[in-house]
Amino acid sequence: MKLKVFLFLMLAAVTASSYAQEGGIRGKVVSRNGRAALSDVEVTIESLGLTARTNRDGEFLFENLPAGDYTVQFSTPEFEDLEVMVRVSDEFVRDLKSVVIVPTGMFSTVDGAVFAESDDDAVSDMQALPGKLSSSKDLFSNIASYRFSEMRFNVRGLDAQYSDIMLNGIRFNDAMTGYGPWSLWSGLNDATRNQENVTGLEMMDYGIGGIGGMTNINARASQMRKGFRVSVSNANQLYRFRAMVSYASGQLDNGWSYAFSFGTRQGGNGYVDGIYYNAYSYFASAEKLFGDNHRLGLTIMASPTERGAQQASTDEAYALFGNNYYNPNVGYQAGKLRNSRVRDMHEPIVMLTYTWDMSERTRLNAATSLRFGKNGYSALTWNGGPDPRGDYYRYLPSYAFGQVIPGETSDQTIYFDTQKALERAMAWTGMLDFDDFYSKNKYIDTELKNIPGLEELAGKQYRSNYILEERHTDQIDYNFAASVQHEMRNDMRILGGVNLRANRTWYYDDIKDLMGGDYWYDIDKFAERDMSSTLAAQNDLDYYEATGHARIAREGDKFSYNYRAHLFEGNAWALYSWRTGGFSMSVAGELGYSSMYREGLWRKGLFPNNSKGDSKTLDYLTYTAKGNFGYKFSRAHSLEANVAVMQQAPKFATAFVSPRTRNTTTPGLKAEKIFGVDLTYNLNLPYVKARVSGYYTTFEDQSKVISFYDDTRSSFTNFAMSGIDKRHYGLELGLSVPVWNGLSVVGALSWGDYTYTSNPDFVQTVDNVDKIVLRDKVSWDGYHVESTPQLALNVGLDYRGPQNWFASVNFNYYDDLYLSMNPMYRTAKAIEYYTNILSSSTSTTEQQVSALRSIKTIRAQERFDGVYTLSASVGKNWYIRRDYMLGFSLEVKNILNNQDIHTGGYEQMRMNRVRASNGETRYSRFDSKYFYMLGTNYYLNVYFRF
């Protein structure tokens, strides 16, 4: 079909013309679906360095062209690229009449919005670009981001904060963490499917970006596909059912455009207990064209979601449970399954956008947005007694052997430990016992009656020992962005803009469910246990001093911690591009400022002078310098080279040692320095298309804060690292080879080496002591960056058949995936017992060999074995009287049903402490926790457009 269109347009270009004094090209771009005029299509004559965009009637015009043969390229999101050969004389303007371009949905292997929800929102937010939401025209990215997403693949090993995710020209990465904001509009596939993407170090018209590429979502009424669309989906991954309805008016004769979209996702997971969705989404947008030059738009969107979460566990727990999908978050209450970890969020976005075509060569874009609402994440907490979660290490059979020392523990002790292990295995269920929580919460705490003022408040009410808390990160996020584009003569172009952001994130804990009790007595249980002072145990010391007792908290009340994070960012950027012949160049720079501080709302008893009020303000100068250089040898061969130097402010999440308790900042905190280069070769022939890239990136002065319960100190602790350096380099390959009659071989290869190149400094503090308890280095130099495959390979067959059939089969292979590391295992403290043996003059050779083996074991980084998967998809569209389309898409993943594939995990943030026979303490590792890929799963979507 594309060949017919191409021949038709060549014929039209040769035969159709209109009189003009000088040569030129004109035409009208329309969609094959209904022949609707398409505005804002990019029309390019690369050999002359000329670019135009179609107006609201789909029309474009090039004037004053020298005589010759030209390749005219047509490009716009949601449509296939098209190239047309046109011959121009010096006396006539060639009129191409209607240039027909084809929607990508007509021939793609899956409907463009079908599978966007098959990734977990929380995981997607941490990824740079969820594959199901990408629509890049880059060959490698289009294959890799979609087909590698099952392994939580990160392009070039980069975290989400290094990729800019923009909505209508505003960067929406989370202000506190830098993570991608995909969950803010999940379920709004129709409204957000119109995307522009660049990869790596490339730049966009909306800014110069970072090192991980940029994505801009055009969620405006005028950008949505005209007409109604209804779709219904069924799956067994994260939810069972999804329904969505959308409408877009297109631009009306009076200049108005309207659009709306509504959807819902419901049901549970087919493999993991407690995983469910109760989610809705809504989108409404209106735009008005004033005259021919001004366009003003309003957009409102949100995705209120309640969903149950899964938590990783150990292989011992998975084996006891009987499969690799055990979820320690769940248990039974009155015979019904309940999840203790539930994400509950509703964060609406309100946006205003404005475009002013100041002249034929100059355009101003401006946008402002406000994000607000709630974001809570529930968790089980308790005041007294052991951890009630089913995979708590003390409940597992292996705990019986926790004090066994090879060569020292007697056979009799090992025998009795084995009996204990068998008893634990027989008694283990792994489930939370909600009924027991309710029963134990039905008691009156008589000790509280001795506290003045409490008898009247508490009386004969029940004090809860187990509750569900909800940890909030409620944001008010304001953004403003403005940019100007000017097309200069002599194939030059200049752009510039400013971005401003003000964010206030409110961190607090409130009570979601007292589980049968009447109140929660709000004190710090660790401080109460370890400190003799009643004042030190207070979470809100001012409240205690005013009332004489801690807060009696009921459902909906705040407790435990209460503080706000404040952030202000601003930057100005400029970009200059020039093209001559086959050579193109863009250079850009950005200068910015970032400041942040913590505002404590409660005075913590442990830190009365360093918890309430404002912390010191952390100020940073940020900058970015980029250069993009390209040379096109011919239509088939081109080279691109990019370089970037950056300095970024640290994120609030790593800037404070323990923001829940105090204002102390991370020691050694610095701005992060980044350097990156890449080189790309593009091949574009009728019988093969390929993209090969090599890249090299370094990171310096990263920071990281990890908070966890440290068994060796029996206290909640904070582990703050600074001076983390990393190096990423590797190769990328994307390939597409037409074979026969609509059948193509496609493939992608990503190989990288992502390595730590420094031994970071660390300080350890505990929450019940206002001092550093340990200071040392983490031996990370030479270890691998975790949590993404460093080798990923795809080989697939894509078929686009007659009568709008499409299908694909894909084979994926993954290797070099490393487990997320516990830095404590790589400290001198962890191996102190063994280094003492090595340095002792009385140690035997056998003891020294054993010590070296133990050091290697505790410091070893786990690498997963190589794995492969097979997936397939099929679909078809039916066109009814050219005005309606009915279609379906079906995708099946992990066809081989391999349920032993690790997709990630982490080393537990705890160490096992064992007393040796000589009285010294030695440490060993706890079992790591893992996530596993779901077995065979499917996603079926049926849609109707009219």
Side-chain angles (χ1 to χ4, degrees):
M1 185 57 67
K2 294 179 68 174
L3 179 60
K4 293 180 180 179
V5 173
F6 183 77
L7 294 174
F8 167 78
L9 292 174
M10 286 188 62
L11 180 62
V14 174
T15 61
S17 62
S18 60
Y19 177 79
Q21 292 183 347
E22 296 189 46
I25 303 172
R26 70 169 47 155
K28 179 178 182 179
V29 181
V30 299
S31 170
R32 176 182 170 179
N33 187 7
R35 296 302 193 269
L38 298 174
S39 62
D40 212 34
V41 177
E42 185 178 272
V43 187
T44 304
I45 305 177
E46 281 202 3
S47 59
L48 298 178
L50 297 178
T51 300
R53 289 187 178 272
T54 58
N55 61 20
R56 64 179 181 179
D57 297 320
E59 299 169 343
F60 69 93
L61 173 65
F62 291 105
E63 296 182 294
N64 303 321
L65 301 181
D69 294 331
Y70 300 103
T71 299
V72 184
Q73 299 175 328
F74 299 85
S75 178
T76 191
E78 296 193 39
F79 287 83
E80 297 283 346
D81 289 348
L82 178 68
E83 292 186 353
V84 177
M85 295 293 297
V86 182
R87 174 166 294 174
V88 175
S89 69
D90 56 5
E91 297 180 353
F92 296 97
V93 173
R94 295 294 182 184
D95 190 347
L96 303 184
K97 303 296 184 182
S98 292
V99 179
V100 182
I101 60 177
V102 180
T104 54
M106 295 179 67
F107 295 123
S108 62
T109 56
V110 292
D111 173 52
V114 172
F115 302 118
E117 261 51 76
S118 60
D119 284 333
D120 187 308
D121 290 337
V123 174
S124 298
D125 287 351
M126 292 187 287
Q127 291 179 322
L129 180 60
K132 312 296 173 48
L133 295 174
S134 101
S135 59
S136 173
K137 291 180 179 175
D138 174 76
L139 183 59
F140 170 81
S141 298
N142 224 13
I143 297 173
S145 61
Y146 175 71
R147 292 170 180 172
F148 293 158
S149 62
E150 62 187 1
M151 285 293 287
R152 304 177 183 181
F153 175 78
N154 288 337
V155 176
R156 300 186 179 182
L158 300 175
D159 293 334
Q161 66 192 68
Y162 299 110
S163 299
D164 287 357
I165 311 302
M166 311 181 83
L167 180 68
N168 294 340
I170 292 178
R171 186 177 186 269
F172 260 79
N173 293 60
D174 187 84
M176 297 294 105
T177 64
Y179 289 161
W182 301 105
S183 59
L184 293 176
W185 48 76
S186 63
L188 293 172
N189 307 62
D190 288 342
T192 60
R193 68 196 308 269
N194 192 350
Q195 301 177 15
E196 303 166 67
N197 297 275
V198 294
T199 61
L201 302 176
E202 296 181 52
M203 297 177 278
M204 260 189 182
D205 289 355
Y206 306 99
I208 63 178
I211 58 169
M214 303 175 71
T215 297
N216 181 62
I217 299 171
N218 293 311
R220 296 181 291 139
S222 62
Q223 299 300 303
M224 284 185 63
R225 178 178 293 167
K226 182 179 179 180
F228 271 101
R229 172 188 161 89
V230 179
S231 66
V232 178
S233 304
N234 177 257
N236 68 338
Q237 299 173 40
L238 293 180
Y239 50 81
R240 288 291 185 177
F241 170 79
R242 187 190 76 175
M244 185 167 55
V245 58
S246 304
Y247 170 76
S249 66
Q251 186 165 300
L252 305 176
D253 292 340
N254 59 6
W256 280 97
S257 303
Y258 305 97
F260 67 80
S261 183
F262 301 98
T264 184
R265 291 159 291 163
Q266 300 291 329
N269 179 278
Y271 284 94
V272 184
D273 290 336
I275 299 298
Y276 71 93
Y277 262 76
N278 179 22
Y280 300 88
S281 54
Y282 59 88
F283 167 90
S285 181
E287 273 189 291
K288 178 69 168 72
L289 179 65
F290 297 93
D292 294 326
N293 302 326
H294 301 271
R295 186 182 294 272
L296 182 65
L298 171 66
T299 299
I300 300 172
M301 61 195 303
S303 183
T305 300
E306 179 188 81
R307 60 175 181 83
Q310 181 189 7
Q311 191 168 327
S313 195
T314 63
D315 277 342
E316 181 182 9
Y318 288 131
L320 288 170
F321 191 72
N323 63 50
N324 289 331
Y325 306 116
Y326 165 63
N327 187 359
N329 294 335
V330 303
Y332 285 94
Q333 179 181 332
K336 294 183 178 179
L337 199 66
R338 183 176 184 181
N339 195 329
S340 64
R341 300 279 284 181
V342 175
R343 173 76 72 183
D344 189 359
M345 58 172 289
H346 183 195
E347 297 183 278
I349 299 170
V350 180
M351 301 191 73
L352 282 173
T353 57
Y354 172 68
T355 300
W356 176 21
D357 290 324
M358 304 168 68
S359 70
E360 291 184 358
R361 295 179 176 269
T362 307
R363 169 176 286 186
L364 168 69
N365 291 303
T368 186
S369 71
L370 182 67
R371 167 189 173 187
F372 58 96
K374 69 169 186 176
N375 191 330
Y377 200 14
S378 69
L380 183 69
T381 191
W382 57 97
N383 179 59
D387 190 329
R389 289 171 293 189
D391 65 343
Y392 182 48
Y393 72 96
R394 291 178 181 268
Y395 303 146
L396 296 173
S398 60
Y399 178 66
F401 302 102
Q403 297 299 309
V404 171
I405 301 176
E408 296 185 20
T409 304
S410 67
D411 291 341
Q412 183 180 21
T413 299
I414 294 176
Y415 172 80
F416 285 115
D417 286 344
T418 302
Q419 297 306 307
K420 291 178 184 178
L422 292 173
E423 292 173 4
R424 290 175 183 272
M426 294 295 293
W428 190 87
T429 67
M431 310 297 280
L432 294 174
D433 191 345
F434 283 96
D435 292 331
D436 184 58
F437 300 156
Y438 274 74
S439 175
K440 289 181 178 177
N441 283 344
K442 297 286 187 180
Y443 83 101
I444 296 175
D445 192 336
T446 56
E447 293 183 7
L448 294 185
K449 289 187 176 182
N450 299 323
I451 301 176
L454 271 184
E455 185 172 1
E456 182 179 347
L457 288 173
K460 295 183 178 180
Q461 299 180 60
Y462 297 128
R463 177 184 177 181
S464 290
N465 187 59
Y466 300 94
I467 66 170
L468 287 180
E469 61 181 340
E470 189 166 60
R471 303 163 185 169
H472 281 258
T473 54
D474 297 349
Q475 298 198 28
I476 296 178
D477 189 54
Y478 172 76
N479 284 273
F480 173 79
S483 63
V484 176
Q485 309 170 29
H486 179 64
E487 305 287 342
M488 306 170 68
R489 297 188 181 277
N490 301 320
D491 300 321
M492 292 183 291
R493 188 166 177 254
I494 188 168
L495 300 90
V498 294
N499 299 284
L500 298 174
R501 182 176 211 169
N503 180 283
R504 190 211 71 187
T505 299
W506 193 354
Y507 293 87
Y508 64 91
D509 208 352
D510 71 13
I511 295 177
K512 182 175 183 179
D513 189 350
L514 286 167
M515 293 198 292
D518 297 309
Y519 69 94
W520 172 268
Y521 193 56
D522 185 23
I523 56 173
D524 185 328
K525 63 181 179 181
F526 297 121
E528 182 186 40
R529 181 196 64 190
D530 298 336
M531 312 294 286
S532 59
S533 170
T534 302
L535 297 179
Q538 302 305 315
N539 287 321
D540 186 353
L541 187 57
D542 289 341
Y543 182 90
Y544 174 83
E545 292 179 344
T547 63
H549 58 79
R551 178 178 283 102
I552 294 290
R554 307 185 191 277
E555 289 180 5
D557 289 346
K558 295 179 178 63
F559 78 108
S560 185
Y561 63 90
N562 190 8
Y563 68 97
R564 292 173 179 150
H566 296 265
L567 172 75
F568 174 79
E569 293 178 334
N571 63 64
W573 60 275
L575 184 153
Y576 169 80
S577 64
W578 174 57
R579 183 180 308 204
T580 178
F583 176 76
S584 62
M585 175 189 74
S586 296
V587 292
E590 178 184 283
L591 189 63
Y593 168 76
S594 176
S595 71
M596 70 185 84
Y597 67 93
R598 175 189 182 273
E599 177 194 3
L601 300 178
W602 287 353
R603 190 157 62 102
K604 183 78 171 174
L606 285 169
F607 313 104
N609 301 318
N610 190 31
S611 52
K612 188 175 182 180
D614 296 346
S615 70
K616 71 176 182 179
T617 300
L618 304 176
D619 301 292
Y620 295 93
L621 175 70
T622 63
Y623 61 79
T624 300
K626 275 189 176 184
N628 298 163
F629 308 92
Y631 190 80
K632 194 166 187 177
F633 299 94
S634 65
R635 291 179 56 197
H637 306 278
S638 64
L639 280 177
E640 300 172 10
N642 306 299
V643 61
V645 179
M646 307 172 61
Q647 177 169 290
Q648 294 186 343
K651 300 302 178 186
F652 183 89
T654 64
F656 292 85
V657 168
S658 179
R660 291 187 180 186
T661 62
R662 55 194 184 273
N663 287 331
T664 304
T665 57
T666 302
L669 189 69
K670 296 180 181 179
E672 180 182 4
K673 289 86 174 174
I674 303 170
F675 170 76
V677 293
D678 63 32
L679 179 65
T680 297
Y681 167 70
N682 293 295
L683 176 65
N684 187 8
L685 294 170
Y687 50 87
V688 60
K689 293 183 179 180
R691 193 263 271 183
V692 183
S693 298
Y695 59 89
Y696 180 89
T697 310
T698 61
F699 306 83
E700 296 180 359
D701 293 327
Q702 290 184 336
S703 300
K704 188 174 186 178
V705 176
I706 306 172
S707 297
F708 58 97
Y709 187 82
D710 185 357
D711 294 85
T712 66
R713 298 184 181 276
S714 300
S715 180
F716 200 79
T717 190
N718 309 288
F719 198 98
M721 291 187 290
S722 60
I724 304 172
D725 300 341
K726 298 189 295 187
R727 180 192 63 228
H728 292 214
Y729 65 87
L731 295 171
E732 297 171 336
L733 168 66
L735 183 69
S736 177
V737 181
V739 178
W740 174 78
N741 201 24
L743 184 66
S744 298
V745 175
V746 297
L749 170 68
S750 174
W751 171 84
D753 187 282
Y754 319 137
T755 310
Y756 289 100
T757 57
S758 69
N759 293 323
D761 297 314
F762 81 88
V763 296
Q764 184 182 9
T765 62
V766 294
D767 277 357
N768 55 6
V769 179
D770 191 14
K771 67 178 183 180
I772 295 174
V773 297
L774 185 62
R775 185 193 298 269
D776 206 335
K777 285 185 174 292
V778 179
S779 297
W780 268 11
D781 189 7
Y783 284 83
H784 293 276
V785 176
E786 57 273 7
S787 300
T788 186
Q790 300 194 18
L791 174 64
L793 171 68
N794 165 264
V795 178
L797 290 175
D798 281 1
Y799 175 68
R800 299 181 179 184
Q803 300 180 343
N804 299 313
W805 278 100
F806 46 88
S808 70
V809 177
N810 286 279
F811 170 86
N812 292 331
Y813 177 78
Y814 308 99
D815 207 347
D816 295 337
L817 173 61
Y818 293 87
L819 195 66
S820 183
M821 294 186 293
N822 175 356
M824 284 287 287
Y825 293 166
R826 283 88 190 172
T827 62
K829 181 69 175 178
I831 60 171
E832 184 178 24
Y833 174 83
Y834 305 107
T835 54
N836 288 340
I837 292 176
L838 295 175
S839 61
S840 173
S841 59
T842 61
S843 299
T844 65
T845 301
E846 183 180 354
Q847 288 175 324
Q848 290 182 338
V849 170
S850 177
L852 287 172
R853 187 182 301 114
S854 297
I855 291 174
K856 184 177 180 180
T857 298
I858 198 170
R859 290 193 164 187
Q861 183 180 16
E862 185 173 354
R863 172 182 174 272
F864 297 138
D865 294 333
V867 295
Y868 59 88
T869 65
L870 190 65
S871 62
S873 64
V874 64
K876 177 176 170 53
N877 298 324
W878 290 269
Y879 287 88
I880 306 170
R881 296 192 306 175
R882 299 175 56 131
D883 295 323
Y884 306 96
M885 184 180 73
L886 174 66
F888 82 94
S889 297
L890 172 65
E891 182 183 47
V892 181
K893 284 188 169 183
N894 196 2
I895 294 174
L896 302 177
N897 197 31
N898 187 343
Q899 300 184 16
D900 296 321
I901 298 176
H902 294 97
T903 60
Y906 53 89
E907 297 171 349
Q908 291 197 62
M909 296 302 301
R910 58 169 83 234
M911 291 195 298
N912 187 34
R913 181 171 52 185
V914 182
R915 290 286 182 184
S917 57
N918 60 3
E920 294 187 48
T921 300
R922 65 172 67 177
Y923 297 104
S924 61
R925 300 167 65 132
F926 272 83
D927 290 343
S928 297
K929 294 192 172 185
Y930 307 101
F931 287 106
Y932 285 89
M933 183 180 293
L934 297 182
T936 302
N937 58 88
Y938 71 92
Y939 199 103
L940 172 65
N941 188 65
V942 179
Y943 46 93
F944 182 60
R945 296 174 185 163
F946 57 98

